[in-house]
Coordinates of all heavy atoms in Angstrom, one line a residue:
M391 N -26.6 -12.9 -48.7 CA -25.7 -12.5 -49.6 C -25.1 -13.8 -50.4 O -24.5 -14.7 -49.8 CB -24.5 -11.7 -48.9 CG -23.5 -11.0 -49.9 SD -22.5 -10.1 -48.9 CE -21.5 -9.3 -50.0
S392 N -25.3 -13.7 -51.6 CA -24.9 -14.9 -52.5 C -23.4 -14.8 -52.8 O -22.8 -13.7 -53.0 CB -25.7 -15.0 -53.7 OG -25.5 -13.9 -54.5
A393 N -22.8 -15.9 -53.1 CA -21.4 -16.0 -53.5 C -21.3 -15.4 -54.9 O -22.1 -15.6 -55.7 CB -20.8 -17.5 -53.3
M394 N -20.2 -14.9 -55.2 CA -19.9 -14.3 -56.5 C -19.6 -15.5 -57.4 O -18.8 -16.4 -57.2 CB -18.7 -13.4 -56.5 CG -18.5 -12.5 -57.7 SD -17.0 -11.5 -57.6 CE -17.3 -10.4 -56.3
P395 N -20.2 -15.5 -58.7 CA -20.0 -16.7 -59.6 C -18.4 -16.6 -59.9 O -17.7 -15.7 -60.0 CB -20.8 -16.2 -60.8 CG -21.8 -15.3 -60.3 CD -21.2 -14.6 -59.2
Q396 N -18.0 -17.9 -60.3 CA -16.5 -18.1 -60.6 C -16.0 -17.2 -61.7 O -14.9 -16.7 -61.7 CB -16.4 -19.6 -60.9 CG -14.9 -20.0 -61.2 CD -14.1 -19.9 -60.0 OE1 -14.5 -19.9 -58.8 NE2 -12.8 -19.6 -60.2
N397 N -16.9 -17.0 -62.7 CA -16.5 -16.2 -63.8 C -16.2 -14.8 -63.4 O -15.2 -14.2 -64.0 CB -17.6 -16.2 -65.0 CG -17.1 -15.7 -66.2 OD1 -15.9 -15.6 -66.6 ND2 -18.1 -15.1 -67.1
R398 N -17.0 -14.2 -62.6 CA -16.8 -12.9 -62.1 C -15.5 -12.7 -61.3 O -14.7 -11.8 -61.4 CB -17.9 -12.3 -61.3 CG -19.0 -11.9 -62.1 CD -20.1 -11.1 -61.3 NE -21.2 -10.8 -62.1 CZ -22.3 -10.4 -61.5 NH1 -22.5 -10.3 -60.2 NH2 -23.4 -10.1 -62.3
V399 N -15.3 -13.8 -60.5 CA -14.1 -13.8 -59.7 C -12.8 -13.8 -60.6 O -11.9 -13.1 -60.4 CB -14.1 -14.9 -58.7 CG1 -12.7 -15.1 -58.0 CG2 -15.1 -14.9 -57.7
T400 N -12.9 -14.6 -61.6 CA -11.8 -14.6 -62.6 C -11.5 -13.4 -63.3 O -10.4 -12.9 -63.5 CB -12.1 -15.8 -63.6 OG1 -12.3 -17.0 -62.9 CG2 -10.9 -15.9 -64.6
Q401 N -12.6 -12.7 -63.7 CA -12.5 -11.4 -64.3 C -11.9 -10.3 -63.4 O -11.1 -9.5 -63.9 CB -13.9 -10.9 -64.8 CG -14.4 -11.7 -66.0 CD -15.9 -11.3 -66.3 OE1 -16.5 -10.6 -65.6 NE2 -16.3 -11.8 -67.5
H402 N -12.3 -10.4 -62.2 CA -11.7 -9.5 -61.2 C -10.1 -9.8 -61.1 O -9.4 -8.8 -61.0 CB -12.4 -9.5 -59.8 CG -13.7 -8.8 -59.8 ND1 -14.9 -9.4 -60.5 CD2 -14.1 -7.7 -59.2 CE1 -15.9 -8.4 -60.3 NE2 -15.5 -7.4 -59.6
L403 N -9.9 -11.0 -60.9 CA -8.4 -11.4 -60.7 C -7.6 -11.0 -61.9 O -6.4 -10.6 -61.8 CB -8.2 -12.9 -60.3 CG -8.8 -13.3 -58.9 CD1 -8.8 -14.8 -58.8 CD2 -8.0 -12.7 -57.8
L404 N -8.2 -11.2 -63.1 CA -7.5 -10.9 -64.3 C -7.2 -9.5 -64.4 O -6.1 -9.0 -64.8 CB -8.3 -11.5 -65.5 CG -7.7 -11.2 -66.9 CD1 -6.3 -11.8 -67.0 CD2 -8.6 -11.7 -68.0
A405 N -8.2 -8.7 -64.1 CA -8.0 -7.2 -64.1 C -7.0 -6.8 -63.2 O -6.2 -6.0 -63.6 CB -9.4 -6.5 -63.8
G406 N -7.1 -7.3 -61.9 CA -6.1 -6.9 -61.0 C -4.6 -7.4 -61.4 O -3.7 -6.6 -61.2
A407 N -4.5 -8.6 -61.9 CA -3.2 -9.1 -62.4 C -2.6 -8.2 -63.6 O -1.5 -7.9 -63.6 CB -3.4 -10.4 -62.8
L408 N -3.5 -7.9 -64.5 CA -3.1 -7.0 -65.7 C -2.6 -5.7 -65.1 O -1.6 -5.2 -65.6 CB -4.1 -6.9 -66.7 CG -4.4 -8.2 -67.5 CD1 -5.7 -8.0 -68.4 CD2 -3.2 -8.6 -68.3
V409 N -3.4 -5.0 -64.2 CA -3.0 -3.7 -63.7 C -1.7 -3.8 -63.0 O -0.8 -3.0 -63.0 CB -4.2 -3.1 -63.0 CG1 -3.7 -1.8 -62.2 CG2 -5.4 -2.8 -63.8
A410 N -1.6 -4.9 -62.1 CA -0.3 -5.2 -61.4 C 0.9 -5.2 -62.4 O 1.9 -4.5 -62.1 CB -0.4 -6.4 -60.6
A411 N 0.8 -6.0 -63.4 CA 1.9 -6.1 -64.4 C 2.1 -4.8 -65.1 O 3.3 -4.3 -65.3 CB 1.6 -7.2 -65.4
A412 N 1.1 -4.0 -65.5 CA 1.3 -2.8 -66.2 C 1.9 -1.8 -65.4 O 2.7 -0.9 -65.8 CB -0.1 -2.3 -66.9
T413 N 1.4 -1.6 -64.1 CA 2.0 -0.6 -63.1 C 3.4 -0.9 -62.9 O 4.3 -0.1 -62.7 CB 1.2 -0.4 -61.9 OG1 1.1 -1.7 -61.2 CG2 -0.1 0.1 -62.2
A414 N 3.8 -2.2 -62.8 CA 5.2 -2.6 -62.5 C 6.1 -2.2 -63.7 O 7.2 -1.6 -63.4 CB 5.3 -4.2 -62.2
L415 N 5.6 -2.4 -64.9 CA 6.2 -1.9 -66.1 C 6.4 -0.4 -66.2 O 7.4 0.1 -66.5 CB 5.6 -2.5 -67.4 CG 6.2 -2.0 -68.7 CD1 7.6 -2.6 -68.8 CD2 5.4 -2.6 -69.8
G416 N 5.2 0.3 -65.8 CA 5.2 1.7 -65.7 C 6.2 2.2 -64.7 O 6.9 3.2 -65.0
Q417 N 6.4 1.5 -63.5 CA 7.4 2.0 -62.5 C 8.8 1.7 -63.1 O 9.6 2.5 -62.8 CB 7.0 1.1 -61.3 CG 7.9 1.7 -60.1 CD 7.7 3.1 -59.8 OE1 6.5 3.5 -59.6 NE2 8.7 3.9 -59.6
L418 N 9.0 0.6 -63.8 CA 10.3 0.4 -64.4 C 10.7 1.5 -65.4 O 11.8 2.1 -65.3 CB 10.3 -1.0 -65.1 CG 11.5 -1.3 -66.1 CD1 12.8 -1.4 -65.2 CD2 11.4 -2.4 -66.9
I419 N 9.8 1.9 -66.2 CA 10.1 3.0 -67.1 C 10.3 4.3 -66.3 O 11.2 5.0 -66.7 CB 8.9 3.2 -68.1 CG1 8.9 2.0 -69.0 CG2 9.0 4.4 -69.0 CD1 7.6 1.7 -69.9
S420 N 9.5 4.5 -65.4 CA 9.6 5.8 -64.5 C 10.9 5.8 -63.8 O 11.6 6.9 -63.8 CB 8.5 5.8 -63.4 OG 7.2 5.9 -64.0
V421 N 11.4 4.7 -63.3 CA 12.7 4.6 -62.7 C 13.9 5.0 -63.6 O 14.8 5.6 -63.3 CB 12.9 3.3 -61.9 CG1 14.4 3.1 -61.6 CG2 12.1 3.1 -60.8
E422 N 13.7 4.5 -64.8 CA 14.7 4.7 -65.8 C 14.7 6.2 -66.2 O 15.8 6.7 -66.6 CB 14.5 4.0 -67.1 CG 14.7 2.5 -66.9 CD 16.1 2.1 -66.6 OE1 17.0 2.7 -67.1 OE2 16.3 1.3 -65.7
L423 N 13.8 6.9 -66.0 CA 13.7 8.4 -66.2 C 13.9 9.3 -65.0 O 13.6 10.5 -65.1 CB 12.3 8.7 -66.9 CG 12.0 8.1 -68.2 CD1 10.6 8.4 -68.6 CD2 13.0 8.5 -69.2
W424 N 14.4 8.7 -63.9 CA 14.6 9.5 -62.7 C 15.7 10.5 -63.0 O 16.7 10.2 -63.6 CB 15.1 8.6 -61.6 CG 14.0 8.0 -60.7 CD1 12.7 8.2 -60.8 CD2 14.2 7.0 -59.7 NE1 12.0 7.5 -59.9 CE2 12.9 6.9 -59.1 CE3 15.3 6.4 -59.0 CZ2 12.7 5.9 -58.1 CZ3 15.0 5.6 -58.1 CH2 13.8 5.3 -57.5
M425 N 15.5 11.7 -62.4 CA 16.6 12.6 -62.4 C 17.6 12.2 -61.2 O 17.2 12.0 -60.1 CB 16.0 14.1 -62.0 CG 15.2 14.5 -63.2 SD 14.5 16.2 -62.8 CE 13.5 16.0 -61.3
T426 N 18.8 12.2 -61.6 CA 19.8 11.7 -60.6 C 20.1 12.6 -59.4 O 20.2 12.0 -58.4 CB 21.1 11.3 -61.3 OG1 21.5 12.5 -62.1 CG2 21.0 10.2 -62.3
A427 N 20.1 13.8 -59.5 CA 20.5 14.7 -58.4 C 19.5 14.7 -57.4 O 19.8 14.4 -56.2 CB 20.8 16.2 -59.0
P428 N 18.2 15.1 -57.6 CA 17.2 15.0 -56.5 C 16.7 13.6 -56.4 O 15.9 13.4 -55.4 CB 16.2 16.0 -56.8 CG 16.2 16.1 -58.4 CD 17.6 15.8 -58.7
R429 N 17.0 12.7 -57.1 CA 16.4 11.4 -57.2 C 15.0 11.4 -57.3 O 14.3 10.9 -56.4 CB 17.0 10.6 -56.1 CG 16.8 9.0 -56.4 CD 17.7 8.2 -55.6 NE 17.4 6.9 -56.1 CZ 17.1 5.8 -55.3 NH1 17.3 5.9 -54.1 NH2 16.8 4.7 -55.9
A430 N 14.3 12.1 -58.2 CA 12.9 12.3 -58.4 C 12.5 11.9 -59.7 O 13.3 11.8 -60.7 CB 12.5 13.7 -58.0
H431 N 11.1 11.5 -59.8 CA 10.6 11.2 -61.2 C 10.4 12.4 -62.0 O 9.9 13.5 -61.5 CB 9.2 10.6 -60.9 CG 9.2 9.3 -60.3 ND1 10.2 8.5 -60.1 CD2 8.2 8.6 -59.7 CE1 9.9 7.3 -59.6 NE2 8.6 7.5 -59.3
M432 N 10.7 12.3 -63.3 CA 10.4 13.3 -64.2 C 9.1 13.0 -64.7 O 8.2 13.8 -65.1 CB 11.3 13.3 -65.4 CG 12.7 13.8 -65.0 SD 13.9 14.0 -66.4 CE 13.6 12.6 -67.4
L433 N 8.6 11.6 -64.7 CA 7.4 11.2 -65.1 C 7.0 10.0 -64.4 O 7.9 9.1 -64.1 CB 7.5 10.7 -66.6 CG 6.4 10.1 -67.3 CD1 5.2 11.0 -67.5 CD2 6.8 9.6 -68.7
W434 N 5.8 9.8 -63.9 CA 5.4 8.6 -63.0 C 4.2 8.1 -63.7 O 3.1 8.5 -63.8 CB 5.0 9.2 -61.6 CG 4.9 8.0 -60.7 CD1 5.8 7.1 -60.2 CD2 3.7 7.6 -60.1 NE1 5.3 6.2 -59.4 CE2 4.0 6.5 -59.3 CE3 2.3 8.1 -60.1 CZ2 2.9 5.8 -58.5 CZ3 1.4 7.4 -59.4 CH2 1.7 6.3 -58.6
L435 N 4.4 6.8 -64.3 CA 3.4 6.1 -65.1 C 2.4 5.3 -64.3 O 1.3 5.2 -64.9 CB 4.2 5.3 -66.2 CG 4.9 6.2 -67.2 CD1 5.7 5.4 -68.1 CD2 4.0 7.2 -68.0
P436 N 2.7 4.7 -63.1 CA 1.7 3.9 -62.5 C 0.4 4.5 -62.2 O -0.7 3.9 -62.5 CB 2.4 3.4 -61.2 CG 3.9 3.4 -61.5 CD 4.0 4.7 -62.5
G437 N 0.4 5.8 -61.9 CA -0.9 6.5 -61.8 C -1.7 6.6 -63.0 O -3.0 6.4 -63.0
A438 N -1.0 6.9 -64.1 CA -1.6 6.9 -65.4 C -2.2 5.6 -65.8 O -3.3 5.5 -66.3 CB -0.7 7.5 -66.4
V439 N -1.5 4.6 -65.6 CA -1.9 3.2 -65.9 C -3.1 2.9 -65.1 O -4.2 2.4 -65.7 CB -0.8 2.2 -65.7 CG1 -1.4 0.7 -65.7 CG2 0.4 2.3 -66.6
L440 N -3.2 3.1 -63.8 CA -4.3 2.9 -63.0 C -5.5 3.7 -63.5 O -6.7 3.2 -63.5 CB -4.1 3.2 -61.6 CG -5.2 3.0 -60.5 CD1 -5.8 1.6 -60.6 CD2 -4.8 3.5 -59.2
M441 N -5.3 5.0 -63.8 CA -6.5 5.8 -64.2 C -7.1 5.2 -65.5 O -8.2 5.2 -65.6 CB -6.0 7.2 -64.4 CG -7.2 8.1 -64.7 SD -6.8 9.9 -64.9 CE -7.0 10.3 -63.1
C442 N -6.2 4.8 -66.5 CA -6.7 4.3 -67.6 C -7.6 3.0 -67.4 O -8.6 2.8 -67.9 CB -5.5 4.0 -68.6 SG -4.8 5.3 -69.3
A443 N -7.0 2.2 -66.5 CA -7.8 1.0 -66.2 C -9.1 1.3 -65.5 O -10.3 0.8 -65.8 CB -7.0 0.1 -65.2
L444 N -9.2 2.3 -64.6 CA -10.4 2.7 -64.0 C -11.5 3.3 -64.9 O -12.6 3.0 -64.8 CB -10.1 3.7 -62.8 CG -9.3 3.2 -61.6 CD1 -9.0 4.2 -60.6 CD2 -9.9 1.9 -61.0
L445 N -11.0 4.1 -65.7 CA -11.9 4.7 -66.7 C -12.4 3.8 -67.8 O -13.5 3.9 -68.3 CB -11.1 6.0 -67.5 CG -10.8 7.1 -66.6 CD1 -10.1 8.2 -67.4 CD2 -12.1 7.6 -65.9
A446 N -11.7 2.7 -68.1 CA -12.1 1.7 -69.0 C -13.0 0.6 -68.4 O -13.7 0.0 -69.2 CB -10.8 1.1 -69.7
L447 N -12.8 0.4 -67.2 CA -13.5 -0.8 -66.6 C -14.7 -0.4 -65.8 O -14.7 0.8 -65.2 CB -12.5 -1.6 -65.8 CG -11.4 -2.4 -66.5 CD1 -10.4 -2.9 -65.6 CD2 -12.0 -3.4 -67.5
P448 N -15.6 -1.3 -65.5 CA -16.8 -0.9 -64.6 C -16.3 -0.8 -63.1 O -15.3 -1.3 -62.8 CB -17.7 -2.1 -64.8 CG -16.9 -3.2 -65.5 CD -15.8 -2.6 -66.1
R449 N -17.0 0.0 -62.4 CA -16.6 0.2 -61.0 C -16.5 -1.0 -60.1 O -15.7 -1.0 -59.2 CB -17.6 1.2 -60.4 CG -17.4 2.6 -60.8 CD -18.1 3.7 -60.0 NE -17.9 4.9 -60.5 CZ -18.9 5.8 -60.7 NH1 -20.1 5.5 -60.1 NH2 -18.8 6.9 -61.3
R450 N -17.2 -2.0 -60.5 CA -17.2 -3.2 -59.7 C -15.8 -3.9 -59.8 O -15.4 -4.7 -58.9 CB -18.2 -4.2 -60.1 CG -18.0 -4.8 -61.5 CD -19.2 -5.8 -61.8 NE -19.1 -6.2 -63.1 CZ -19.7 -5.6 -64.2 NH1 -20.3 -4.5 -64.1 NH2 -19.5 -6.2 -65.4
R451 N -14.9 -3.5 -60.7 CA -13.6 -4.1 -60.8 C -12.5 -3.1 -60.2 O -11.4 -3.3 -60.4 CB -13.3 -4.3 -62.3 CG -14.1 -5.5 -62.8 CD -13.4 -6.3 -63.8 NE -14.4 -7.3 -64.3 CZ -15.0 -7.3 -65.5 NH1 -14.8 -6.2 -66.4 NH2 -15.9 -8.1 -65.8
W452 N -13.0 -1.9 -59.8 CA -11.9 -0.9 -59.4 C -11.1 -1.4 -58.1 O -9.9 -1.2 -58.1 CB -12.7 0.3 -59.0 CG -13.1 1.2 -60.3 CD1 -13.2 0.8 -61.5 CD2 -13.4 2.6 -60.3 NE1 -13.7 1.8 -62.4 CE2 -13.7 2.9 -61.6 CE3 -13.2 3.6 -59.4 CZ2 -14.0 4.3 -62.1 CZ3 -13.6 4.9 -59.7 CH2 -13.9 5.2 -61.1
A453 N -11.8 -2.0 -57.2 CA -11.0 -2.5 -56.0 C -9.8 -3.5 -56.5 O -8.7 -3.3 -56.0 CB -11.9 -3.2 -55.1
A454 N -10.2 -4.4 -57.4 CA -9.1 -5.2 -58.0 C -7.9 -4.4 -58.7 O -6.8 -4.8 -58.6 CB -9.7 -6.2 -58.9
C455 N -8.4 -3.4 -59.4 CA -7.3 -2.6 -60.2 C -6.5 -1.9 -59.1 O -5.3 -1.7 -59.4 CB -8.1 -1.7 -61.0 SG -8.9 -2.4 -62.5
V456 N -7.1 -1.2 -58.2 CA -6.3 -0.6 -57.2 C -5.3 -1.5 -56.4 O -4.2 -1.1 -56.3 CB -7.3 0.3 -56.2 CG1 -6.3 0.9 -55.1 CG2 -8.0 1.4 -57.0
A457 N -5.9 -2.7 -56.0 CA -5.1 -3.6 -55.4 C -3.9 -4.1 -56.3 O -2.7 -4.1 -55.9 CB -5.9 -4.8 -55.0
G458 N -4.2 -4.3 -57.6 CA -3.2 -4.7 -58.5 C -2.1 -3.5 -58.6 O -1.0 -3.9 -58.8
A459 N -2.6 -2.3 -58.8 CA -1.6 -1.2 -58.9 C -0.7 -1.1 -57.7 O 0.5 -0.9 -57.8 CB -2.3 0.0 -59.2
L460 N -1.3 -1.2 -56.5 CA -0.5 -1.2 -55.3 C 0.5 -2.4 -55.2 O 1.7 -2.1 -55.0 CB -1.4 -1.3 -54.1 CG -0.9 -1.1 -52.8 CD1 -0.2 0.4 -52.6 CD2 -1.8 -1.2 -51.7
I461 N 0.1 -3.5 -55.6 CA 1.0 -4.7 -55.6 C 2.1 -4.6 -56.6 O 3.2 -4.8 -56.4 CB 0.2 -6.0 -55.7 CG1 -0.6 -6.4 -54.6 CG2 1.1 -7.2 -56.1 CD1 -1.7 -7.4 -54.8
G462 N 1.7 -4.2 -57.8 CA 2.6 -4.1 -58.9 C 3.7 -3.1 -58.6 O 4.9 -3.3 -58.8
T463 N 3.3 -1.8 -58.2 CA 4.3 -0.8 -58.0 C 5.1 -1.1 -56.7 O 6.3 -0.9 -56.8 CB 3.5 0.4 -57.8 OG1 2.6 0.7 -58.9 CG2 4.5 1.7 -57.7
T464 N 4.5 -1.5 -55.7 CA 5.2 -1.8 -54.4 C 6.2 -2.9 -54.6 O 7.3 -3.0 -54.2 CB 4.3 -2.1 -53.3 OG1 3.3 -1.1 -53.1 CG2 5.0 -2.4 -52.0
G465 N 5.8 -4.0 -55.4 CA 6.5 -5.2 -55.6 C 7.8 -4.7 -56.4 O 8.9 -5.2 -56.1
F466 N 7.6 -3.9 -57.4 CA 8.8 -3.5 -58.2 C 9.8 -2.7 -57.4 O 11.0 -2.9 -57.3 CB 8.4 -2.7 -59.4 CG 9.6 -2.2 -60.3 CD1 10.2 -3.1 -61.1 CD2 10.1 -1.0 -60.1 CE1 11.2 -2.7 -61.8 CE2 11.2 -0.6 -60.8 CZ 11.8 -1.5 -61.7
L467 N 9.2 -1.8 -56.6 CA 10.1 -0.9 -55.7 C 10.7 -1.7 -54.6 O 12.0 -1.5 -54.2 CB 9.3 0.3 -55.1 CG 8.9 1.3 -56.1 CD1 7.9 2.4 -55.5 CD2 10.1 2.0 -56.8
A468 N 10.1 -2.8 -54.2 CA 10.8 -3.6 -53.1 C 11.9 -4.4 -53.7 O 13.0 -4.6 -53.0 CB 9.7 -4.6 -52.6
V469 N 11.8 -4.8 -55.0 CA 13.0 -5.5 -55.7 C 14.1 -4.4 -55.7 O 15.3 -4.9 -55.6 CB 12.4 -5.8 -57.1 CG1 13.7 -6.3 -57.9 CG2 11.5 -7.0 -57.0
L470 N 13.9 -3.2 -55.8 CA 15.0 -2.2 -55.8 C 15.5 -1.9 -54.5 O 16.5 -1.2 -54.4 CB 14.4 -0.9 -56.5 CG 14.1 -0.9 -57.9 CD1 13.6 0.5 -58.4 CD2 15.1 -1.3 -58.8
G471 N 14.9 -2.4 -53.4 CA 15.4 -2.3 -52.1 C 14.7 -1.1 -51.4 O 15.2 -0.6 -50.4
T472 N 13.6 -0.6 -51.9 CA 13.0 0.6 -51.3 C 12.2 0.0 -50.1 O 11.6 -1.0 -50.2 CB 12.0 1.1 -52.2 OG1 12.8 1.6 -53.5 CG2 11.3 2.5 -51.7
P473 N 12.1 0.7 -48.9 CA 11.4 0.3 -47.8 C 9.9 0.3 -48.0 O 9.3 1.3 -48.4 CB 11.8 1.3 -46.7 CG 12.8 2.1 -47.2 CD 13.0 1.9 -48.7
V474 N 9.4 -1.0 -48.0 CA 8.0 -1.2 -48.4 C 7.0 -0.4 -47.6 O 6.0 0.1 -48.2 CB 7.6 -2.7 -48.4 CG1 6.2 -3.0 -48.7 CG2 8.5 -3.5 -49.4
A475 N 7.1 -0.4 -46.2 CA 6.1 0.3 -45.4 C 5.9 1.8 -45.9 O 4.8 2.2 -46.0 CB 6.5 0.3 -43.9
G476 N 7.0 2.5 -46.0 CA 6.9 3.9 -46.5 C 6.3 4.0 -47.8 O 5.5 5.0 -48.1
V477 N 6.7 3.1 -48.8 CA 6.1 3.1 -50.1 C 4.6 2.9 -50.1 O 3.9 3.6 -50.9 CB 6.8 2.1 -51.0 CG1 6.2 2.0 -52.3 CG2 8.2 2.6 -51.2
V478 N 4.2 2.0 -49.4 CA 2.7 1.6 -49.3 C 1.9 2.8 -48.8 O 0.9 3.2 -49.4 CB 2.4 0.5 -48.4 CG1 1.0 0.2 -48.2 CG2 3.0 -0.8 -49.1
V479 N 2.4 3.5 -47.8 CA 1.6 4.7 -47.3 C 1.5 5.8 -48.5 O 0.4 6.3 -48.7 CB 2.3 5.2 -46.0 CG1 1.7 6.6 -45.7 CG2 2.2 4.2 -45.0
V480 N 2.6 6.0 -49.0 CA 2.6 7.1 -50.1 C 1.7 6.7 -51.3 O 0.9 7.4 -51.7 CB 4.0 7.4 -50.5 CG1 4.0 8.3 -51.8 CG2 4.9 8.0 -49.5
L481 N 1.8 5.4 -51.7 CA 1.1 5.0 -52.8 C -0.4 5.0 -52.6 O -1.2 5.2 -53.5 CB 1.5 3.6 -53.2 CG 2.8 3.5 -54.0 CD1 3.3 2.0 -54.3 CD2 2.9 4.3 -55.2
L482 N -0.8 4.6 -51.3 CA -2.2 4.5 -50.9 C -2.8 6.0 -51.1 O -3.9 6.2 -51.6 CB -2.3 4.1 -49.5 CG -2.4 2.6 -49.3 CD1 -2.4 2.2 -47.8 CD2 -3.5 1.9 -50.1
G483 N -2.0 7.0 -50.6 CA -2.4 8.4 -50.9 C -2.6 8.8 -52.3 O -3.6 9.4 -52.8
V484 N -1.5 8.5 -53.1 CA -1.6 8.8 -54.5 C -2.7 8.1 -55.2 O -3.4 8.7 -56.1 CB -0.2 8.5 -55.1 CG1 -0.2 8.7 -56.6 CG2 0.9 9.4 -54.4
F485 N -2.7 6.9 -55.1 CA -3.8 6.0 -55.7 C -5.2 6.5 -55.3 O -6.1 6.5 -56.1 CB -3.6 4.5 -55.5 CG -2.4 4.1 -56.3 CD1 -1.7 2.9 -55.8 CD2 -2.0 4.5 -57.5 CE1 -0.6 2.4 -56.4 CE2 -0.9 4.1 -58.2 CZ -0.2 3.0 -57.7
L486 N -5.3 7.0 -54.1 CA -6.7 7.5 -53.7 C -6.9 8.7 -54.5 O -8.1 8.9 -55.0 CB -6.6 7.8 -52.2 CG -8.0 8.6 -51.6 CD1 -9.2 7.7 -51.8 CD2 -7.7 9.0 -50.2
L487 N -6.1 9.6 -54.7 CA -6.2 10.7 -55.6 C -6.6 10.3 -57.0 O -7.4 10.9 -57.7 CB -5.0 11.6 -55.6 CG -4.7 12.3 -54.3 CD1 -3.4 13.1 -54.3 CD2 -5.8 13.3 -53.8
V488 N -6.0 9.2 -57.5 CA -6.3 8.7 -58.9 C -7.8 8.3 -58.9 O -8.5 8.5 -59.9 CB -5.2 7.6 -59.3 CG1 -5.7 6.9 -60.6 CG2 -3.9 8.3 -59.4
V489 N -8.2 7.5 -57.9 CA -9.5 7.1 -57.9 C -10.6 8.2 -57.8 O -11.6 8.3 -58.6 CB -9.9 6.1 -56.6 CG1 -11.2 5.7 -56.5 CG2 -8.9 4.8 -56.8
L490 N -10.3 9.2 -57.1 CA -11.2 10.4 -56.9 C -11.1 11.1 -58.3 O -12.3 11.6 -58.7 CB -10.7 11.3 -55.8 CG -10.8 10.8 -54.4 CD1 -10.2 11.8 -53.4 CD2 -12.3 10.5 -54.0
A491 N -10.0 11.3 -58.9 CA -10.0 12.0 -60.1 C -10.9 11.1 -61.2 O -11.6 11.7 -62.1 CB -8.7 12.1 -60.7
S492 N -10.7 9.8 -61.2 CA -11.4 8.9 -62.1 C -13.0 9.1 -61.8 O -13.7 9.0 -62.8 CB -10.9 7.5 -61.9 OG -9.6 7.4 -62.2
L493 N -13.3 9.2 -60.5 CA -14.8 9.3 -60.3 C -15.3 10.6 -60.9 O -16.4 10.6 -61.4 CB -15.0 9.3 -58.8 CG -15.0 8.0 -58.1 CD1 -15.0 8.2 -56.6 CD2 -16.2 7.2 -58.4
V494 N -14.6 11.7 -60.8 CA -15.0 13.0 -61.3 C -15.0 12.9 -62.9 O -16.0 13.3 -63.5 CB -14.1 14.1 -60.9 CG1 -14.2 15.3 -61.8 CG2 -14.0 14.4 -59.4
L495 N -14.1 12.2 -63.5 CA -14.0 12.1 -65.0 C -15.3 11.2 -65.4 O -15.8 11.5 -66.4 CB -12.7 11.6 -65.4 CG -11.5 12.5 -65.3 CD1 -10.2 11.9 -65.7 CD2 -11.8 13.8 -66.3
K496 N -15.5 10.2 -64.6 CA -16.6 9.3 -65.1 C -17.9 9.9 -64.9 O -19.0 9.6 -65.7 CB -16.6 8.0 -64.1 CG -15.7 7.0 -64.7 CD -16.3 6.0 -65.6 CE -15.5 4.7 -65.7 NZ -16.2 3.8 -66.5
R497 N -18.1 11.0 -64.1 CA -19.3 11.6 -63.8 C -19.7 12.7 -65.0 O -20.8 13.0 -65.2 CB -19.3 12.4 -62.5 CG -19.2 11.5 -61.4 CD -19.5 12.1 -60.1 NE -21.0 12.0 -60.1 CZ -21.8 12.1 -59.1 NH1 -21.4 12.5 -58.0 NH2 -23.0 12.0 -59.1
T498 N -18.6 13.1 -65.7 CA -18.8 14.1 -66.8 C -19.0 13.6 -68.2 O -18.9 12.4 -68.4 CB -17.5 15.1 -66.9 OG1 -16.4 14.4 -67.0 CG2 -17.3 15.8 -65.6

């Protein structure tokens, strides 16, 4: 197995970093739109941001995008004081559904 060329590594890291920043911004917007009484989202943007990235980029960059989405969303919620362990478990499940939906959409 040969090592990945430096240019590809940079492209993967760039994709992951951009998705991390975009999902953190999406989470910020989503938090601003929370309903106060049940403390729930009216709109959750990180999943939409991840799906857009997955549909726009080749599959070889999907792992970097999912990792970036997880880091960006979890990082923002950690800054708000949300327990990270619980958030990561929920986000892994939600982002898995986004990946599966993206696979279905890419096939059609």
Side-chain angles (χ1 to χ4, degrees):
M391 189 170 180
S392 64
M394 195 182 300
Q396 183 65 26
N397 191 25
R398 282 192 184 164
V399 171
T400 302
Q401 290 174 350
H402 283 73
L403 289 174
L404 179 61
L408 288 174
V409 171
T413 55
L415 179 62
Q417 187 62 50
L418 169 67
I419 294 167
S420 296
V421 165
E422 291 299 318
L423 298 174
W424 272 358
M425 295 183 295
T426 53
R429 198 155 184 229
H431 292 341
M432 294 187 318
L433 174 68
W434 189 68
L435 297 175
V439 169
L440 176 60
M441 182 175 278
C442 289
L444 296 180
L445 294 176
L447 296 172
R449 283 196 188 136
R450 66 182 177 270
R451 294 207 185 108
W452 283 23
C455 290
V456 172
L460 188 62
I461 291 167
T463 306
T464 304
F466 181 80
L467 290 172
V469 168
L470 294 179
T472 307
V474 174
V477 168
V478 169
V479 171
V480 170
L481 288 176
L482 283 173
V484 172
F485 288 150
L486 174 64
L487 293 174
V488 171
V489 170
L490 293 174
S492 298
L493 281 170
V494 168
L495 289 171
K496 279 272 202 173
R497 297 192 86 160
T498 58

